[in-house]
Amino acid sequence: MTQIPRSALILGLAGVIPFAWGALTLLAPALAGWGQQTLGPRFIGPYVQLYYGAIILSFMSGVLWGFATKAEDSRAATGYALSVIPALWAFFMTGGGPTSAAINLMTGFAGLLILDFAFWRWGLAPGWWMQLRVLLTALVVLCLAIGPIF
């Protein structure tokens, strides 16, 4: 493995901010009150986490699709088919209330990590990819787990 490029690491960690913010507003009612008054109710607690989580799973489908374009023969078709799973998961599995949606998103991000590993093993993702994806997935799942606990 090679070192994660600084820009990828910084932007990846910045992408965790809405998940962390949502978790913090669940843990600190005063912060949630400030956030609701300042930003609006959609940008606190599980609401920001779930909406943003569905968007990020869809975004990651696009990343995997991009990796699939580097494949040839049957691996390309397999890559394209696998790449749409995170977006479909987000679309179909984030309804039904905040607890089930959070659990389904955690499952979706864990499944995405498996897909990341497959694309990485096929040589379609950069050498540093799994280092970044394991870190970001752990942080996202930890933040999402706060919702069902509280």
Side-chain angles (χ1 to χ4, degrees), residues 8-93:
L9 180 60
I10 290 169
L11 290 170
L13 290 172
V16 176
I17 291 171
F19 294 107
W21 170 254
L24 287 172
T25 59
L26 284 166
L27 296 171
L31 190 58
W34 178 87
Q36 183 169 347
Q37 186 174 17
T38 306
L39 304 171
R42 199 177 101 198
F43 294 100
I44 61 168
Y47 309 106
V48 70
Q49 290 181 319
L50 301 178
Y51 186 69
Y52 185 69
I55 290 169
I56 292 302
L57 277 181
S58 297
F59 171 80
M60 291 306 296
S61 274
V63 171
L64 296 179
W65 182 279
F67 290 158
T69 65
K70 295 170 53 177
E72 295 180 8
D73 303 325
S74 64
R75 195 176 294 175
T78 301
Y80 291 131
L82 291 175
S83 74
V84 300
I85 292 172
L88 292 173
W89 183 267
F91 180 75
F92 287 111
M93 303 302 290

